[in-house]
Amino acid sequence: MKKFNYQELVDSEQALQKRSIFWDPAIYEEELKQIFNRCWLFLGHESQLPQPGDFIRTYMGEDDVIVVRGKDKVIRAFLNACTHRGNKVCQAEGGNTRSFTCSYHGWSFNTEGELAGVPLEKEIYDNLPRERFGLVPVARLDSYKGLLFGCFSESAPSLIDYLGDIAWYIDVVTDSAQGGLEVVGAPYKTEIPGNWKLPVENAIGDGYHVAWAHAGAMSVVGAIGNGRSDNVLGINANNTGVDQSGAIEIVMNTHTVLTTLDGQSGYALYDHPEPVLAHLERNRPNVIEKLGELRGRQLYGSETHIGVFPNVQIIQGLNFIRIIHPKGPGKFEVWTYAMCERGMPDATKEIIHDHVRQTFGPAGLLEGDDGDFVEAITHSAAGYATRQMQGFLGMGMGRKAPWDGPGEASPGLVNEACQRGFYNQWRRTMEADNAYGVIGQTAPVTPVTAVLKEFRHG
Amino acid sequence: MANAELKLAPTAPVSFEQEYAIGKFLSMEARLLDEERYPDWLELLTEDIRYQIPVAISTYRRARQGSTTLKPLFIIDDGFPGLKQRADREATGLVWLNDPATRHLRIITNIEVETTDTPNEFLVRSKFMIFRGRRDKDIASHAGWREDILRQTPQGWRIARRVVHLIERVVMDKNLNMFF
């Protein structure tokens, strides 16, 4: 017996989504359990934690999590909650430390998560079993080529199985990077009064809004603003025509990708892309050698939005990684990290950082437009009648594009294929009986003890 | 970090007239922005202006500098062309968020003026509160302080450098598409 009538919430055949999914607190509570307590969630990148003792804080759903490289160089993740009474043991967003000390009674934990210090221990406890009171580890932690993911489900499929075909696309970002991918420093963080799903599907699939919602920015930045071109991503400056040739939206089992396939238009929004384009062409032969012609010529350098379900987008071209952290049904935080190739000349990295700040930082020329409609879509669903309405994502339905890579391709970026893919995956995840159901598989037979554990943890 | 670049002389006296004029200039500048007179505001900037808003990263006081997780991050780090681009965007009439018109209000206070070792440049510190009201009750506000270098030119006072420090880490607004 499902908690909700999911056919009514997401009608895949007609591409309709009931608006209550952006507002209903009961649906949100179910999302925390079904999605954020089961899926592999992006934590950060290994380049953020080069030294023992380096740590960052992030969220998995609404759970506050510390990711730390221990003295033994192993990266671990823990719930940021003291095992004594539950206060946070870390209030900094990152840095380097030997220990995490609770501000309530001073219990202290080392970077391997062990309880290392209890004030007045000998006087107040008789044989406190310290080993029982280490920080609670996130059940699973794994890295895909430096991208760190965590998962609360002991019985979930492996990270590589969870990623599935999208790994083929992630490789274009990770394997092409000279000297490896580099995520530098802390992210931009903005809290927006909207539902978390809306910015996710906007970033992974909504090419339609670019020329209209961002009309002000589009007329002053990049190729159009500088007169290099009269269109960006196939959409002309006045939003009066669209060239859908070349670009595709790809829906895979679980995840999605959109890409321009031209090998360079990721930099169309840059005011001064020349050094980045020069780097691309210098590096392209290496990428072709490593990844083959298709990925080396058509994907490397293209504007490519890799959407890993549920809430991370790896965006090549604009060059950032973005996480959407849910904060209740009507609020989310968006975290944006600039990403570069470690081996790029410093001046080229600087251009990328400047551009991420200029376009999608908190004062970004494009970023500022999206929060507004995301808020309005969410909050208008407070109205009972409005909440009965359904969103329609039927654009490009049934249209197929030839594509030799993994997944089903549909032509053009002004297309809603990826957004349909996202909501279909949302529905499957909400309906799944176990963590394997999230990726459309049947769970292998598990020992009774593991089942009981899963049951107890909900 | 911004301070390191400012060549401070031991505090030399600043005349009442200069201090008064600087206060009036900052009030006028704030009003131009409140009135969305962006081309007029751009006239108040030097061609070589640097305008920065660093992110107030939440690290422990004892945090060791230099670790890669602690590198500075800027919300805005613009010269004149970047600021002009932002102003131009506001003037396109295509920023839907600002129609109906946004109401702006800036309060500039606690102005302190110091001399620098460049005779016609002054270090000016001020505190601000900025409010934006949109539509029915979409009100956002931000508070912080600024460190400016103001340059006295034949045309009047000009802003040669501005560093804006916000007290918030997570930006609690749909965007910071505004000038502080």
Side-chain angles (χ1 to χ4, degrees):
Chain A
M1 180 69 184
K2 310 289 178 203
K3 258 197 162 142
F4 301 95
N5 179 351
Y6 286 103
Q7 172 58 27
E8 185 191 77
L9 296 181
V10 173
D11 180 338
S12 304
E13 286 70 37
Q14 297 191 71
L16 301 171
Q17 313 79 37
K18 194 166 172 196
R19 300 223 172 125
S20 60
I21 65 173
F22 305 123
W23 185 257
D24 185 341
I27 293 176
Y28 177 74
E29 276 305 312
E30 189 72 0
E31 288 179 331
L32 289 184
K33 174 167 152 280
Q34 290 289 102
I35 298 174
F36 292 96
N37 202 50
R38 267 184 179 165
C39 292
W40 283 91
L41 303 172
F42 182 73
L43 300 175
H45 188 264
E46 284 179 26
S47 60
Q48 296 173 273
L49 306 164
Q51 303 294 331
D54 283 350
F55 71 95
I56 52 171
R57 257 178 63 218
T58 186
Y59 293 95
M60 294 174 66
E62 290 216 48
D63 290 296
D64 192 327
V65 168
I66 300 168
V67 187
V68 56
R69 191 182 287 274
K71 284 194 291 288
D72 54 3
K73 297 190 176 164
V74 175
I75 296 176
R76 298 177 177 84
F78 302 101
L79 291 181
N80 184 13
C82 184
T83 47
H84 175 216
R85 299 297 309 282
N87 181 32
K88 293 189 183 196
V89 297
C90 181
Q91 294 282 5
E93 64 181 274
N96 183 284
T97 192
R98 288 190 200 92
S99 62
F100 301 100
T101 304
C102 177
S103 59
Y104 193 2
H105 304 97
W107 282 30
S108 152
F109 304 84
N110 65 23
T111 52
E112 289 77 52
E114 297 158 346
L115 179 58
V118 176
L120 312 177
E121 181 177 355
K122 288 206 178 77
E123 289 89 338
I124 54 180
Y125 288 110
D126 301 313
N127 300 319
L128 177 73
R130 280 196 185 192
E131 65 285 353
R132 264 180 45 204
F133 291 100
L135 290 174
V136 173
V138 172
R140 313 272 292 278
L141 185 137
D142 204 351
S143 166
Y144 184 73
K145 300 188 175 180
L147 300 164
L148 296 165
F149 288 82
C151 178
F152 284 124
S153 170
E154 296 272 6
S155 58
S158 66
L159 175 61
I160 192 74
D161 286 346
Y162 179 80
L163 293 174
D165 283 339
I166 198 123
W168 191 85
Y169 296 92
I170 294 176
D171 290 348
V172 178
V173 176
T174 54
D175 295 9
S176 69
Q178 279 189 355
L181 188 69
E182 186 178 61
V183 170
V184 178
Y188 294 115
K189 301 179 181 180
T190 308
E191 184 182 275
I192 307 278
N195 183 268
W196 69 274
K197 295 185 284 299
L198 292 162
V200 171
E201 46 107 332
N202 170 266
I204 65 171
D206 196 322
Y208 192 26
H209 84 293
V210 176
W212 181 256
H214 300 302
M218 294 299 278
S219 61
V220 300
V221 297
I224 295 176
N226 287 315
R228 286 201 310 274
S229 167
D230 62 0
N231 77 83
V232 164
L233 307 179
I235 305 156
N236 72 24
N238 301 318
N239 203 29
T240 50
V242 60
D243 176 4
Q244 295 273 53
S245 63
I248 51 173
E249 293 204 354
I250 307 160
V251 177
M252 280 154 280
N253 186 22
T254 316
H255 313 291
T256 62
V257 168
L258 70 76
T259 176
T260 54
L261 294 182
D262 58 7
Q264 54 83 29
S265 70
Y267 303 91
L269 283 171
Y270 283 49
D271 287 332
H272 304 289
E274 296 79 9
V276 189
L277 295 174
H279 174 84
L280 284 184
E281 295 318 317
R282 272 198 308 276
N283 192 32
R284 194 179 300 279
N286 307 326
V287 182
I288 292 170
E289 197 185 315
K290 265 194 208 163
L291 298 174
E293 289 281 329
L294 185 61
R295 286 188 284 180
R297 287 198 194 283
Q298 289 203 266
L299 290 178
Y300 180 60
S302 292
E303 181 69 23
T304 301
H305 296 208
I306 299 171
V308 180
F309 188 85
N311 65 337
V312 63
Q313 302 95 49
I314 301 164
I315 299 188
Q316 177 187 261
L318 293 168
N319 276 320
F320 55 77
I321 296 177
R322 160 166 289 203
I323 318 173
I324 306 295
H325 294 299
K327 300 282 169 193
K331 244 195 277 185
F332 62 87
E333 276 183 33
V334 50
W335 290 16
T336 305
Y337 296 89
M339 62 176 191
C340 305
E341 301 179 23
R342 187 169 289 155
M344 276 178 167
D346 284 347
T348 309
K349 287 185 191 177
E350 199 63 35
I351 288 171
I352 289 173
H353 280 269
D354 286 350
H355 182 261
V356 171
R357 176 171 61 240
Q358 181 202 20
T359 54
F360 283 95
L365 292 162
L366 288 96
E367 175 70 11
D369 300 314
D370 291 327
D372 196 41
F373 51 78
V374 160
E375 177 184 21
I377 294 169
T378 303
H379 289 257
S380 62
Y384 185 82
T386 308
R387 193 155 72 224
Q388 310 312 310
M389 290 173 64
Q390 290 166 307
F392 175 53
L393 288 170
M395 193 190 302
M397 223 172 158
R399 295 188 187 178
K400 300 262 179 269
W403 174 237
D404 294 331
E408 288 278 327
S410 186
L413 299 188
V414 183
N415 191 326
E416 288 164 346
C418 287
Q419 291 156 284
R420 284 192 294 280
F422 173 79
Y423 285 108
N424 291 342
Q425 177 59 31
W426 180 86
R427 177 175 167 182
R428 184 166 77 180
T429 308
M430 294 294 277
E431 289 185 304
D433 293 325
N434 58 59
Y436 271 83
V438 171
I439 60 168
Q441 292 183 11
T442 310
V445 180
T446 28
V448 175
T449 49
V451 174
L452 282 173
K453 200 166 178 185
E454 173 94 345
F455 179 74
R456 277 201 304 272
H457 291 279
Chain B
M1 181 191 51
N3 279 325
E5 291 173 36
L6 304 173
K7 291 176 206 148
L8 292 184
T11 316
V14 180
S15 73
F16 282 126
E17 286 79 6
Q18 278 169 322
E19 197 151 345
Y20 180 79
I22 285 170
K24 287 292 170 199
F25 172 78
L26 291 180
S27 297
M28 183 269 289
E29 186 217 352
R31 179 169 52 78
L32 291 185
L33 289 170
D34 286 349
E35 293 172 0
E36 301 183 333
R37 289 166 58 182
Y38 301 113
D40 292 340
W41 180 72
L42 290 172
E43 294 287 320
L44 303 183
L45 314 180
T46 65
E47 286 288 325
D48 62 346
I49 186 175
R50 185 88 181 267
Y51 182 111
Q52 293 178 313
I53 308 179
V55 172
I57 295 172
S58 292
T59 55
Y60 284 120
R61 290 174 191 267
R62 65 170 191 272
R64 296 166 217 171
Q65 292 300 318
S67 170
T68 57
T69 49
L70 303 177
K71 282 192 177 158
L73 180 73
F74 293 92
I75 292 171
I76 294 182
D77 185 3
D78 277 354
F80 187 84
L83 295 170
K84 182 171 185 310
Q85 196 175 43
R86 294 176 189 279
D88 288 348
R89 172 181 172 275
E90 298 295 328
T92 57
L94 302 173
V95 179
W96 315 130
L97 181 59
N98 291 330
D99 196 9
T102 299
R103 299 168 290 277
H104 311 262
L105 186 146
R106 288 164 173 80
I107 298 168
I108 311 294
T109 182
N110 295 36
I111 299 165
E112 294 179 278
V113 183
E114 283 180 34
T115 53
T116 68
D117 60 2
T118 307
N120 63 335
E121 290 190 349
F122 295 81
L123 168 65
V124 181
R125 296 191 179 89
S126 57
K127 312 271 198 268
F128 65 84
M129 283 198 77
I130 177 167
F131 299 85
R132 288 199 293 193
R134 305 185 191 98
R135 288 86 179 255
D136 298 336
K137 34 182 196 177
D138 183 355
I139 307 282
S141 65
H142 303 278
W145 70 98
R146 309 185 297 192
E147 295 168 296
D148 295 345
I149 294 289
L150 296 190
R151 189 180 295 164
Q152 204 165 14
T153 76
Q155 291 76 38
W157 291 98
R158 293 291 180 268
I159 304 162
R161 178 142 175 69
R162 173 163 290 170
V163 182
V164 179
H165 299 275
L166 294 168
I167 60 169
E168 62 204 287
R169 165 57 175 107
V170 178
V171 173
M172 305 289 280
D173 197 348
K174 285 179 282 191
N175 62 57
L176 290 181
N177 293 145
M178 68 186 91
F179 298 106
F180 293 92

